Amino acid sequence: EAQVTQNPRYLITVTGKKLTVTCSQNMNHEYMSWYRQDPGLGLRQIYYSMNVEVTDKGDVPEGYKVSRKEKRNFPLILESPSPNQTSLYFCASSFIGGGISYNEQFFGPGTRLTVL
Amino acid sequence: TQLLEQSPQFLSIQEGENLTVYCNSSSVFSSLQWYRQEPGEGPVLLVTVVTGGEVKKLKRLTFQFGDARKDSSLHITAAQTGDTGLYLCAGADNQGGKLIFGQGTELSVKP
């Protein structure tokens, strides 16, 4: 089954404790991206990657790191989480072989993060 | 910074009514996508419009891309309770891979 998986699905942590949210896709998609969703703000792009070893900042990259060492995986790293990073996080992937114009996102189920 | 203004943010209607959701920007996008999200799940793509003036229909849903590729609308005819959910528009930037989302429209269709 074609899917994007995220782990963990729920996480409660404390300020300053480094954490990693994993994301994996089995569709051989070139493009992967991380978003955060907050009430009234919609989805905001954190980082995206057009291919292995190629990453770029989205609109809200501060406080986050990513890496793309393999095509299927795109982990999101919070080196020193703070309460304002409490949010619902989504990983997504897309096939851009036909051109970046489409970039139709296939989303994971989300990770709800609470930073105390 | 590119922005997509989506309206209305909340919409509560009776089954059988029609509705339109708007997505507006001052920026030109290479494509405009519409997603639907249910509680506890990730958004699911409904449609992508690419050409200025394009109209696409998905059963009772009609999507339109503005001539200048800066705005889009989603029209639902004879809404059903199963249409309830969060609707999101997203603009694709063909320069570098960014995707800009609107704030979303929370639709509630009552029986």
Side-chain angles (χ1 to χ4, degrees), chain A residues 76-90:
Chain A
L76 179 69
I77 303 154
L78 284 72
E79 295 267 4
S80 183
S82 63
N84 65 10
Q85 292 178 297
T86 291
S87 188
L88 180 58
Y89 290 85
F90 287 100

Side-chain angles (χ1 to χ4, degrees), chain A residues 4 8 10 30-31 34 37 41 43-44 49 51 54 56 58 60 65-67 86 91 94-95 108 115:
Chain A
V4 176
Y10 303 91
E30 301 93 341
Y31 185 102
W34 276 102
Q37 186 173 36
L41 296 177
L43 283 159
R44 292 180 294 168
S49 170
N51 216 323
V54 180
D56 273 297
V60 289
K65 282 177 57 175
V66 293
S67 69
T86 291
C91 181
S94 71
F95 171 70
V115 183

Side-chain angles (χ1 to χ4, degrees), chain A residues 31 37 48 101-102 104-105, chain B residues 31 33 35 37 48 96-97 99:
Chain A
Y31 185 102
Q37 186 173 36
Y48 63 95
S101 299
Y102 280 81
E104 296 167 336
Q105 306 286 285
Chain B
S31 70
Q33 301 160 13
Y35 294 82
Q37 184 179 17
T48 300
L99 210 61

